[in-house]
Amino acid sequence: MPAPHLTLPPTDRVLSPLTGWTRAHWEALADRQLDALVPYATPGFAQYRLPGRSSWSGVVSDGLEGYARSFLLAAFRIAGAGGQVDPRLVERYAQGLAAGTDRESGEAWPELTDCSQQMVEAASIAIGLHETRPWIWDKLDTRIQERVVDWFSGFVGGKTWDNNWRLFQVVSEQFLASVGAPYSQADIDGGLDRIEDWYRGDGWYSDGDGRNFDYYIGWAMHVYPLLWARMTGGDDGGRAKVYRERLTRFLTTYPHFFGGDGAPVHQGRSLTYRFATAAPVWMGALADCTPLAPGLTRRLASGTARHFVERGVPDERGLLPLGWYGTFLPATQAYSGPASPYWASKGFLGLLLPADHPVWTEREVPLPIEESDQYTALPQPGWLLHGTRHDGIVRLINHGSDHNLLEGPAQDDPHYAKFAYSTATAPETAPRAWERAVDGHVALVAPDGTPSRRLRIHPLSCEGRVAASRHTAQFPGSDEEFPIATTSALHGPWEIRVHRVQAPVGATVREGGHAVADETQPHAEHGPGWALTRTATGLTSAVVALHGWAEEAAVAREVAANAYGPHSATPFLTSPTHPGGSSVHVTLIALSRDTVDPRALRESITCTVDGDSVHVRFPDGTVLVL
């Protein structure tokens, strides 16, 4: 049930048999969040200074962020209601524009300078002003309009970071163009041309150079170009048609990222934006380019919103905390301040669709995972999506996204470096847990206990139910490199993971499964060649040695390391005292809400290695050759 602080309308099981949510629920959720911000506003409403950890940009920038990102939500609410909202909502944001652009107000927004955080927030304000033009911009005093234009003019000829930030300049300068203010067409064209360098095909962009695949592809790379097109009045030079075609292709597989309970796969950065994972789905309907049935669009978006609401988001104050459910700073980035989560406003794009649009009036239809088991290969990011109907879990098997440039120094990040993510688990992200790097990882462990890292991922293949990649293992302070090639294959509810490892003499090879987390300490057990951990709610993670492992297995426990709960645990296998040279290790990885018996799995599945071929035979007679 929804948290007691958020009053929602009665559910409608006729129109929405799967979530019970209607447009009224979305409006109530938006209103609650907007009302909850008022106590934290500065006197002129130019900033919202929320409680919580500050970002690296400082308190004034964070206050602007509170205004800009919540204005995006207010704009969708105002425009979607045709201006028929509480007039105080319109007045607050109009007043904030006046104070924020007045250098003498004491609440002035920082000037737009190259690569400044203000650029991100300006884009939200530009979109909000465009969508609410009849109710806010057109009614502003001319002097205030001139001050707003003057503030935005800091973008003209400016430099942004070379990733999705290029699009902030595009929409902001297009707003200037739309109100007859000076702007640079070269800036707009340059930003739109630049994203062409990052288009990989099949609807997928990389967020900048390298293999940067995460939710930014949906809530930034697809959303901003089409919001820009809405500002052009149709004079888009044919670009919008291309953007719509790409979003169509992207949305064809996007529903496979969502579990039966509405949870998105927990992968990538800025996950505190939560509801924003629904943004590209709404954008597809708004731009009239979605391949999804109207009832599926609403079911996906409403299911995601309901998932978070039922887990206390927004919180008892009506605020969006820095975290996934509650506050959990290890799952955030240093650029995130207390108002950063309000990029979740993008998830309310659907409010721009009129109340009589089919996405609001047609009956909900099930997600793919609610109809059958799903196996989806995504060659561009190098991912396998694996959904099981009986427990509603979606797993993402990662053989392609590392958030690194293609050349130069590389780093690993727990939100990108793992072999697997899911809708029911999160990686261990607290510093001490990340130093151990047990979950979702195969490591060479030095005698002092230091594990190798998975830095730059080189994808090899991704087709059907099989994907492969390689990476190079190194120990800190050493230039010696040890290649590890890995193939993952999906069968039923399991992943079979095969590693060909080059290792130095004496190293330990270690493989960890999914970390599960809960309010209470997960149950753990292990035996020869297997380990299992299970939460009180029945979520089970297990690893089973099929070839190349010693009999040693155990469970690693952590506290305050996981976004899903304060107590977490990861099953793992080890093979100590490596003789040096090449070895092959084969593991069954299980994550399920069903009963998992690792001993029975080990006894009933046979695995043989013949040169470069691995044969895995299952009890049903199926043989995988990898």
Side-chain angles (χ1 to χ4, degrees):
M1 294 297 293
H5 62 274
L6 177 59
T7 302
L8 293 173
T11 57
D12 185 338
R13 292 299 178 186
V14 175
L15 182 63
S16 302
L18 299 164
T19 69
W21 276 44
T22 63
R23 183 185 178 94
H25 291 78
W26 282 89
E27 292 174 339
L29 180 57
D31 291 343
R32 176 67 181 101
Q33 292 175 86
L34 291 166
D35 291 345
L37 292 169
V38 175
Y40 304 97
T42 51
F45 295 100
Q47 299 179 34
Y48 290 86
R49 297 188 175 182
L50 304 182
R53 182 201 67 192
S54 295
S55 76
W56 59 20
S57 299
V59 65
V60 176
S61 176
D62 289 350
L64 164 61
E65 190 171 62
Y67 175 91
R69 298 189 180 199
S70 63
F71 180 40
L72 201 58
L73 178 59
F76 298 155
R77 182 71 177 94
I78 293 165
Q84 299 301 306
V85 296
D86 186 335
R88 292 174 296 180
L89 177 63
V90 177
E91 178 57 31
R92 284 201 301 270
Y93 285 94
Q95 189 176 342
L97 282 168
T101 56
D102 181 358
R103 292 181 175 87
E104 307 302 322
S105 69
E107 302 175 34
W109 299 331
E111 297 299 315
L112 290 169
T113 55
D114 288 353
C115 297
S116 62
Q117 181 64 32
Q118 297 88 271
M119 288 182 160
V120 186
E121 312 320 323
S124 290
I125 296 173
I127 293 164
L129 285 172
H130 173 76
E131 298 295 345
T132 61
R133 184 163 179 168
W135 305 283
I136 295 182
W137 177 261
D138 289 348
K139 295 183 178 181
L140 289 177
D141 182 271
T142 302
R143 291 171 301 171
I144 298 173
Q145 290 181 340
E146 290 172 350
R147 293 206 307 261
V148 172
V149 165
D150 182 62
W151 185 71
F152 271 109
S153 68
F155 256 122
V156 180
K159 179 182 179 182
T160 76
W161 296 116
D162 199 28
N163 54 15
N164 68 88
W165 280 48
R166 298 295 294 266
L167 295 170
F168 305 150
Q169 185 171 36
V170 167
V171 297
S172 296
E173 293 203 45
Q174 189 63 49
F175 170 72
L176 288 174
S178 73
V179 297
Y183 70 101
S184 168
Q185 188 63 45
D187 286 349
I188 295 173
D189 291 341
L192 295 174
D193 289 344
R194 183 64 173 126
I195 70 171
E196 296 303 309
D197 298 332
W198 304 325
Y199 185 65
R200 302 289 188 254
D202 298 331
W204 282 90
Y205 294 88
S206 171
D207 181 17
D209 292 333
R211 300 194 59 80
N212 303 316
F213 301 107
D214 52 28
Y215 285 111
Y216 275 84
I217 311 312
W219 64 42
M221 304 305 292
H222 279 293
V223 164
Y224 283 102
L226 286 166
L227 288 173
W228 164 81
R230 287 171 65 84
M231 293 180 171
T232 66
D235 184 18
D236 55 55
R239 291 185 190 265
K241 180 176 183 293
V242 174
Y243 300 146
R244 286 194 292 269
E245 290 170 350
R246 290 174 180 176
L247 180 55
T248 299
R249 298 191 70 176
F250 179 78
L251 291 176
T252 301
T253 54
Y254 193 62
H256 296 272
F257 283 84
F258 295 82
D261 60 359
V265 169
H266 191 100
Q267 180 272 342
R269 63 192 176 96
S270 300
L271 292 170
T272 195
Y273 301 160
R274 303 178 179 95
F275 306 136
T277 54
V281 178
W282 288 126
M283 192 73 246
L286 196 61
D288 195 23
C289 63
T290 182
L292 310 179
L296 178 56
T297 292
R298 189 175 76 258
R299 190 270 174 270
L300 189 157
S302 294
T304 299
R306 177 175 170 168
H307 176 84
F308 287 108
V309 167
E310 290 184 339
R311 288 156 182 80
V313 183
D315 66 16
E316 71 284 353
R317 301 165 297 178
L319 301 180
L320 301 179
L322 275 167
W324 183 242
Y325 298 133
T327 300
F328 185 71
L329 297 181
T332 66
Q333 288 70 43
Y335 57 71
S336 292
S340 290
Y342 288 84
W343 242 30
S345 300
K346 295 180 181 182
F348 291 77
L349 267 168
L351 290 178
L352 291 177
L353 294 162
D356 60 356
H357 191 281
V359 298
W360 297 118
T361 61
E362 291 196 9
R363 186 178 171 89
E364 282 182 343
V365 298
L367 290 168
I369 196 174
E370 294 177 294
E371 297 190 300
S372 64
D373 290 354
Q374 300 290 320
Y375 304 90
T376 307
L378 300 172
Q380 299 304 331
W383 290 340
L384 297 176
L385 294 175
H386 177 206
T388 40
R389 181 188 180 202
H390 68 279
D391 58 12
I393 296 174
V394 174
R395 306 152 195 83
L396 185 157
I397 314 304
N398 177 30
H399 287 278
S401 181
D402 56 22
H403 202 59
N404 281 305
L405 296 175
L406 296 177
E407 297 180 354
Q411 296 181 329
D412 55 343
D413 181 310
H415 293 101
Y416 296 91
K418 303 298 185 183
F419 275 103
Y421 299 90
S422 85
T423 56
T425 63
E428 303 277 55
T429 48
R432 64 184 178 277
W434 182 227
E435 289 174 7
R436 294 176 71 186
V438 177
D439 64 300
H441 183 48
V442 62
L444 304 181
V445 184
D448 66 357
T450 303
S452 65
R453 320 300 295 193
R454 191 184 187 207
L455 302 177
R456 187 169 283 110
I457 300 171
H458 302 276
L460 300 175
S461 63
C462 182
E463 185 177 4
R465 301 187 186 185
V466 181
S469 65
R470 63 176 174 84
H471 71 280
T472 300
Q474 285 181 285
F475 294 120
S478 172
D479 293 331
E480 193 171 5
E481 297 183 344
F482 301 98
I484 298 177
T486 302
T487 298
S488 294
L490 306 177
H491 180 77
W494 308 310
E495 176 195 354
I496 304 299
R497 199 176 294 166
V498 181
H499 307 283
R500 182 174 291 280
V501 174
Q502 295 288 331
V505 174
T508 293
V509 184
R510 186 189 69 199
E511 166 115 79
H514 292 267
V516 296
D518 206 351
E519 294 297 318
T520 59
Q521 197 173 80
H523 167 76
E525 56 184 293
H526 58 87
W530 62 269
L532 172 149
T533 182
R534 182 175 60 250
T535 68
T537 58
L539 180 64
T540 300
S541 173
V543 290
V544 180
L546 299 182
H547 179 87
W549 296 102
E551 298 289 278
E552 300 179 25
V555 172
R557 295 189 181 275
E558 296 288 351
V559 177
N562 196 289
Y564 274 71
H567 296 279
S568 53
T570 304
F572 67 94
L573 305 171
T574 58
S575 188
T577 320
H578 197 282
S582 178
S583 60
V584 175
H585 305 263
V586 186
T587 310
L588 182 146
I589 307 289
L591 178 69
S592 179
R593 290 192 173 99
D594 276 354
T595 299
V596 178
D597 189 333
R599 284 162 291 201
L601 289 171
R602 194 169 191 225
E603 292 168 359
S604 60
I605 298 173
T606 60
C607 178
T608 57
V609 177
D610 181 11
D612 288 334
S613 295
V614 175
H615 297 249
V616 181
R617 180 181 292 274
F618 295 94
D620 63 4
T622 302
V623 177
L624 290 181
V625 181
L626 306 171

